[in-house]
Amino acid sequence: MFVRVGLLVLSFVLGVGCRDESASPTKDPEATPSVSPPASVAVTPPSAAPSPAAPTLPVLPPRKVASKTLVDGSLLGEFSFERAAGDEGMAWLAAEDACVAAGKHLCTATQWQAACDADPAVAAVETWTLTPERDAGFFVRGGGAGCGRKTVAPGAQANPFRAGACCTPALAAAGRDIQPAMLRAMAKNVLDLERTLNARRASALAGFFDERVRVFLKEKSRAEAVGVFEHEFGKYEDYATVHELCDFSADDTTYTADCRKITRFGGKIGLVLTRYLFVGGSGKLRSITDPAVYRAFAEP
């Protein structure tokens, strides 16, 4: 009996597999077996594993950080510091763009340290800084006890426990035998130049240039120098520069600012030493050169 049933089943399977494809299309098609579960069985779609909740990092409302003398003797001007909600988990470039959209920039490592010295609560959150490390990556501050924690992370790395902090411009000014009031005036001149560069207003630079000005490798007239920057601003819509530290020296007729600055253009970031030569009385810019590149321009 079992053998007979087995043969019948086998002949049915073979018959289905070898059925005549030339049969009349008007012939009733074979019924398709139902794969639906019985009505009494509820179908529950598989649920994805729950993703971990994004951490909520403490917000630090805008606050003024007072001017102070740093441990190296340089004078850091007053600035505003803020960590807004929603900036956690960003890569470096996204964090910087968020600050730029707010009219600020990521705080430099120098600014972060000053803000943390003023309020140790700043150290509670691991934070991107604007400052590149010379080989690769960017300095990350905080995320531990006290204000001394410092690490380096690749710019493309997004960490849900890392945030950005935004600052208004301020630079650390150093100068042997230069009085603090004069240092502040010199630093203000550089910061005014920085704001004009970041506004990408080439025509406004004419007010900073002397009648003849050396721009990197060539001496140019004031109008020609303006034209150089007009070309650069037109070519690179993301052009921006931030001076972190300037070392000033002065003689009877001129003063020099050797400035460590972070510059961005064409999607690349570089750390450069730029030397500005100003006329002493007028404060007009007579020369701009780049004696050293601390970190070659590269994508963050």
Side-chain angles (χ1 to χ4, degrees):
M1 178 66 178
F2 289 111
V3 173
R4 184 178 179 184
V5 172
L7 291 174
L8 287 173
V9 171
L10 179 61
S11 65
F12 174 76
V13 172
L14 292 175
V16 171
C18 303
R19 65 187 176 89
D20 184 4
E21 296 294 342
S22 64
S24 169
T26 60
K27 189 175 181 179
D28 290 339
E30 296 182 46
T32 303
S34 172
V35 294
S36 300
S40 59
V41 178
V43 180
T44 304
S47 58
S51 56
T56 301
L57 303 181
V59 169
L60 295 172
R63 77 278 308 276
K64 291 287 186 182
V65 179
S67 175
K68 64 174 295 185
T69 300
L70 305 180
V71 292
D72 62 0
S74 59
L75 181 64
L76 179 65
E78 181 184 83
F79 61 93
S80 175
F81 177 97
E82 175 184 12
R83 200 200 78 69
D87 64 356
E88 56 272 354
M90 292 183 177
W92 182 92
L93 189 58
E96 166 63 357
D97 285 344
C99 288
V100 170
K104 302 177 182 180
H105 58 72
L106 277 175
C107 302
T108 65
T110 302
Q111 288 178 305
W112 185 94
Q113 185 66 54
C116 194
D117 290 343
D119 180 4
V122 168
V125 177
E126 186 176 287
T127 306
W128 284 116
T129 74
L130 187 69
T131 306
E133 201 274 335
R134 291 197 181 191
D135 293 327
F138 296 84
F139 285 109
V140 174
R141 302 300 309 271
C147 298
R149 186 171 185 267
K150 178 192 298 184
T151 59
V152 175
Q157 185 185 82
N159 184 331
F161 295 94
R162 184 183 303 141
C166 303
C167 284
T168 54
L171 63 83
R176 182 178 298 178
D177 300 326
I178 300 177
Q179 295 299 314
M182 182 60 69
L183 269 181
R184 291 189 184 95
M186 292 174 171
K188 181 180 182 302
N189 206 18
V190 173
L191 286 175
D192 287 345
L193 175 62
E194 176 182 301
R195 291 186 183 93
T196 304
L197 289 169
N198 290 340
R200 297 192 291 278
R201 294 168 52 222
S203 60
L205 290 172
F208 289 89
F209 295 153
D210 202 9
E211 290 184 8
R212 303 289 298 178
V213 56
R214 183 179 181 84
V215 181
F216 303 113
L217 298 177
K218 295 182 179 179
E219 184 172 304
K220 298 181 180 294
S221 68
R222 181 182 292 144
E224 289 171 335
V226 168
V228 169
F229 285 92
E230 192 169 41
H231 175 266
E232 292 298 302
F233 297 157
K235 186 176 180 180
Y236 302 112
E237 293 184 356
D238 63 343
Y239 180 93
T241 193
V242 173
H243 300 83
E244 184 168 14
L245 168 68
C246 291
D247 191 359
F248 293 92
S249 58
D251 59 26
D252 292 338
T253 59
T254 63
Y255 67 90
T256 301
D258 285 336
C259 296
R260 184 177 67 201
K261 70 178 187 181
I262 301 120
T263 298
R264 170 184 175 180
F265 63 83
K268 297 181 178 181
I269 310 295
L271 182 62
V272 180
L273 174 66
T274 294
R275 176 169 294 160
Y276 301 105
L277 178 64
F278 295 94
V279 179
S282 65
K284 298 292 186 181
L285 191 57
R286 184 171 287 175
S287 175
I288 308 171
T289 57
D290 285 347
V293 177
Y294 296 135
R295 173 170 156 178
F297 284 86
E299 294 180 357

